[in-house]
Amino acid sequence: MANKRFLKRAIHNVCDELFAEAVALSLYGAKEQQDAATAQLYAIAKVEDDCIRRISHPEPGMKPSVYFKDLREKFTAQVSDIVDQMNG
């Protein structure tokens, strides 16, 4: 596992790219896509905030390697759901 700063930066970069795509979709997409993109903007901000908070305050009693592996898997799953919604 890399350090916390690298993990936070990676999460921020992924969410930043998703946010830019959602803004482009809301500006240039069809009306149905615009409404969905607005909801996705909130979802992206919530995912980023949640993951950053979880990095800053790890769960006591869990091994760090297990905790951060679980965090990465959940983040990847949430990002995949958002991307699927944007494509659909």
Side-chain angles (χ1 to χ4, degrees):
M1 180 189 84
N3 62 15
K4 291 180 182 181
R5 185 180 336 144
F6 177 76
L7 189 56
K8 285 181 183 181
R9 187 176 301 139
I11 288 173
H12 177 72
N13 289 340
V14 169
C15 290
D16 195 30
E17 291 293 324
L18 280 175
F19 199 84
E21 290 295 324
V23 167
L25 187 63
S26 71
L27 292 175
Y28 303 115
K31 181 64 176 164
E32 304 85 34
Q33 290 176 329
Q34 290 175 355
D35 296 335
T38 304
Q40 290 165 356
L41 290 171
Y42 290 115
I44 294 166
K46 184 179 175 186
V47 166
E48 180 180 9
D49 186 52
D50 180 51
C51 289
I52 297 296
R53 286 176 193 252
R54 287 184 62 196
I55 292 170
S56 298
H57 303 288
E59 226 175 275
M62 280 183 85
K63 287 186 175 183
S65 60
V66 173
Y67 179 76
F68 288 110
K69 181 179 179 184
D70 179 56
L71 176 70
R72 285 191 306 268
E73 289 173 356
K74 287 182 180 178
F75 175 72
T76 303
Q78 289 174 338
V79 167
S80 296
D81 288 342
I82 292 172
V83 169
D84 289 342
Q85 290 174 2
M86 289 173 72
N87 290 333

